[in-house]
Amino acid sequence: MAYKTDADKIRRWREERHWSQEHLAELAGIGLRTVQRIENGEQASRDSLTALAAAFNVEAMALMIDPEIEATGIVQRRNVKVRAGARLILWIHCAAYGLGLVLFTAICLAAGSFVMKWPLVWWTVALTAHAVTVILIELITRHMDD
């Protein structure tokens, strides 16, 4: 059975001790290529994980990734992307609204009356609803991250 190891932690601990990959492989009694594969994020066998743990003088579980923490990180990264996308779309909507205001003003000046009143009112309502939606997305996803 293969275990998901925390490759970054293994590399960080090795570098903190100023060990080369060769030295770690020798201490753990495993092959150099095995250490390289594990540090590159590939799966490790139970025996390799146990050997590395013995070399670092820790329990094997200390070298594994906690699935709950990993899942939390994935959700947080997804929420950041959702918030950024929602804000971008809102800014695009605001820019279009500004151009629309210029166009509606030109039409009204040419017509001599405020003929574009209702399109402007409804566009303003839509923009406000869009802004409220983005604010709710921000609040909800930030609450989920906490």
Side-chain angles (χ1 to χ4, degrees):
M1 178 173 179
Y3 294 89
K4 186 159 185 175
T5 57
D6 192 343
D8 293 332
K9 183 186 285 186
I10 292 170
R11 181 180 298 109
R12 187 178 66 244
W13 283 1
R14 178 181 58 78
E15 290 172 350
E16 285 173 357
R17 290 168 173 77
H18 303 288
W19 292 350
S20 65
Q21 288 180 331
E22 294 85 4
H23 184 71
L24 177 57
E26 184 180 314
L27 284 175
I30 59 177
L32 170 61
R33 186 69 187 118
T34 301
V35 172
Q36 291 170 341
R37 279 194 299 265
I38 291 170
E39 284 192 0
N40 284 330
E42 294 181 27
Q43 293 182 332
S45 68
R46 185 174 59 99
D47 294 337
S48 297
L49 198 57
T50 303
L52 284 171
F56 286 119
N57 199 24
V58 296
E59 291 185 24
M61 290 301 292
L63 300 178
M64 295 174 61
I65 295 176
D66 183 1
E68 189 173 312
I69 292 172
E70 184 179 26
T72 301
I74 290 169
V75 169
Q76 287 175 344
R77 287 189 297 275
R78 187 202 70 207
N79 286 345
V80 166
K81 287 181 181 180
V82 166
R83 287 192 301 263
R87 285 191 304 266
L88 175 64
I89 293 168
L90 179 62
W91 283 113
I92 291 170
H93 193 171
C94 288
Y97 182 78
L99 290 174
L101 283 176
V102 171
L103 180 64
F104 287 178
T105 301
I107 291 170
C108 289
L109 289 175
S113 66
F114 195 42
V115 295
M116 300 303 292
K117 177 173 96 175
W118 290 112
L120 181 60
V121 167
W122 287 113
W123 197 352
T124 304
V125 168
L127 181 61
T128 303
H130 190 173
V132 168
T133 302
V134 170
I135 290 168
L136 288 174
I137 289 171
E138 287 278 342
L139 293 174
I140 291 168
T141 57
R142 284 178 191 246
H143 178 71
M144 288 173 52
D145 288 347
D146 293 338

